[in-house]
Amino acid sequence: MTMTAPETDAATGIRINDLTPFIGAELTGVTYRDLQDSGLWEQVSTLLHERELVVIRSLDITPEQQIELASRIGRPKPFLMAKYRHPEHEEIMISSNAKKNNMAIGVARVGNFWHQDSSYQNDAPPYTMLHGVDVPGTSGHTLYANAADVYDRLPQEWKERIEGRTAIHTVSKRQRISEKHAGLSIAEFKALVEEEYPPVRHPLVKTDPTTGRRYVYGAPEYMERVIGFDANENEEFFALLNELIQDPAHVYEHRWTPRDLVIWKCELTYHAATAVAPGVDRTVHRVSIEARDPWAA
């Protein structure tokens, strides 16, 4: 993946540029009205599918408009946990550490580890869209890495060792403990998690249908093991994978500015949220987007 020259539309002032050589494109000077232009939206869609991640800076939109934009990509999917949905829009999950009347208005600590969204599901939504409603500029950043770039950087030996392999994905390493788990033993808690979210199997190496690039599907925090590897091989592979994903030279750090809209392809995009400074509120609206057609990777 190579950088392309920045483009600026003299008539509208809209600027489009690549964020890094390995992932991401950025649009500035865009309004919701601009996005009604089919030509501009086609550019956004193309960038999403070729660059894996699209950032539209300072896009002032309502929740309804966010859902409308998500609907152009696929089908917005209501968040599983009803208590963290937007009170008027079930398609929006509120990610927030803020409180109202001393009550949490959303999920406070979300995605603070490297992962690909919902890979522990059989049919995970292929796209995610975030809108920065109230975001600090000094903390609460989001880190991104490209799963195809990770595959490219694997030593040839490991490419050969994982070829044709299947990995078992699970939420058990990252399942949150809630009130309903009070009094359970560790064994009972693990059994309940596996009953609610049974482990699933996915090919470890997949091919992106748009770019034709191969990528690693799986992050150590959402994988139990690679089938056919012994314990030492799994530990060695997971350590290598973490090293490649988190290599600073291949990570894009998104420092949020107010009302940024960020969209990514879930299978191709590893990401992690960084900590929010004490005493600082952060609220982001998240929409998971199902494909209209089967994800053909």
Side-chain angles (χ1 to χ4, degrees):
M1 186 176 286
T2 57
M3 298 277 283
T4 55
E7 302 176 18
T8 302
D9 188 311
T12 64
I14 295 173
R15 181 178 174 85
I16 301 174
N17 62 277
D18 292 341
L19 288 166
T20 73
F22 49 85
I23 194 170
E26 177 185 65
L27 290 84
T28 56
V30 177
T31 67
Y32 179 71
R33 182 175 180 179
D34 292 329
L35 292 175
Q36 304 311 302
D37 178 80
S38 59
L40 178 59
W41 183 257
E42 183 63 29
Q43 279 187 283
V44 172
S45 179
T46 298
L47 289 169
L48 173 62
H49 288 94
E50 293 182 352
R51 301 288 305 171
E52 328 302 357
L53 169 75
V54 169
V55 174
I56 304 178
R57 289 286 187 180
S58 301
L59 184 67
D60 193 5
I61 54 174
T62 65
E64 293 88 351
Q65 289 169 337
Q66 181 180 358
I67 294 169
E68 190 276 324
L69 292 175
S71 299
R72 298 194 215 170
I73 299 170
R75 295 187 300 268
K77 180 180 181 180
F79 185 56
L80 182 64
M81 300 173 67
K83 69 177 181 178
Y84 294 127
R85 293 174 182 167
H86 189 285
E88 298 173 11
H89 305 284
E90 65 176 5
E91 301 92 341
I92 292 177
M93 182 198 85
I94 300 178
S95 172
S96 178
N97 64 343
K99 293 185 177 182
K100 185 176 182 180
N101 299 324
N102 210 34
M103 297 288 291
I105 65 170
V107 186
R109 292 175 68 250
V110 179
N112 59 326
F113 56 93
W114 284 98
H115 64 288
Q116 290 151 313
D117 283 332
S118 304
S119 73
Y120 55 85
Q121 298 178 1
N122 270 320
D123 298 303
Y127 308 99
T128 294
M129 175 185 284
L130 297 185
H131 189 232
V133 176
D134 181 17
V135 288
T138 54
S139 64
H141 313 310
T142 308
L143 310 176
Y144 293 95
N146 186 338
D149 178 59
V150 168
Y151 178 82
D152 289 345
R153 289 182 286 119
L154 280 170
Q156 185 59 34
E157 173 198 354
W158 277 104
K159 288 181 180 178
E160 293 172 2
R161 290 172 71 177
I162 66 175
E163 182 64 33
R165 297 281 185 183
T166 297
I168 296 179
H169 293 234
T170 175
V171 74
S172 61
K173 294 180 184 179
R174 284 293 175 172
Q175 175 64 18
R176 292 167 181 260
I177 298 174
S178 64
E179 293 179 3
K180 69 178 181 180
H181 301 127
L184 295 180
S185 68
I186 293 176
E188 289 170 332
F189 173 68
K190 287 182 176 179
L192 180 61
V193 170
E194 289 213 356
E195 181 181 340
E196 292 181 342
Y197 303 99
V200 300
R201 299 184 178 201
H202 294 296
L204 185 55
V205 178
K206 303 179 78 172
T207 301
D208 179 69
T210 300
T211 65
R213 298 181 72 192
R214 309 197 80 196
Y215 61 95
V216 179
Y217 188 46
E221 291 299 312
Y222 275 164
M223 282 195 291
E224 177 183 287
R225 60 188 171 90
V226 177
I227 296 174
F229 282 2
D230 62 28
N232 290 333
E233 288 174 310
N234 273 297
E235 183 177 352
E236 186 180 359
F237 177 62
F238 284 1
L240 172 63
L241 195 54
N242 272 328
E243 180 183 340
L244 294 175
I245 293 169
Q246 299 177 41
D247 179 356
H250 293 263
V251 169
Y252 163 64
E253 181 180 45
H254 182 68
R255 291 178 170 264
W256 289 83
T257 54
R259 299 177 303 283
D260 285 352
L261 187 76
V262 183
I263 318 164
W264 65 84
K265 291 159 63 177
C266 297
E267 289 198 6
L268 271 292
T269 309
Y270 289 106
H271 58 288
T274 64
V276 180
V280 176
D281 287 347
R282 180 181 186 273
T283 299
V284 175
H285 285 176
R286 179 182 188 271
V287 178
S288 290
I289 307 170
E290 296 180 312
R292 292 192 180 89
D293 301 313
W295 179 244

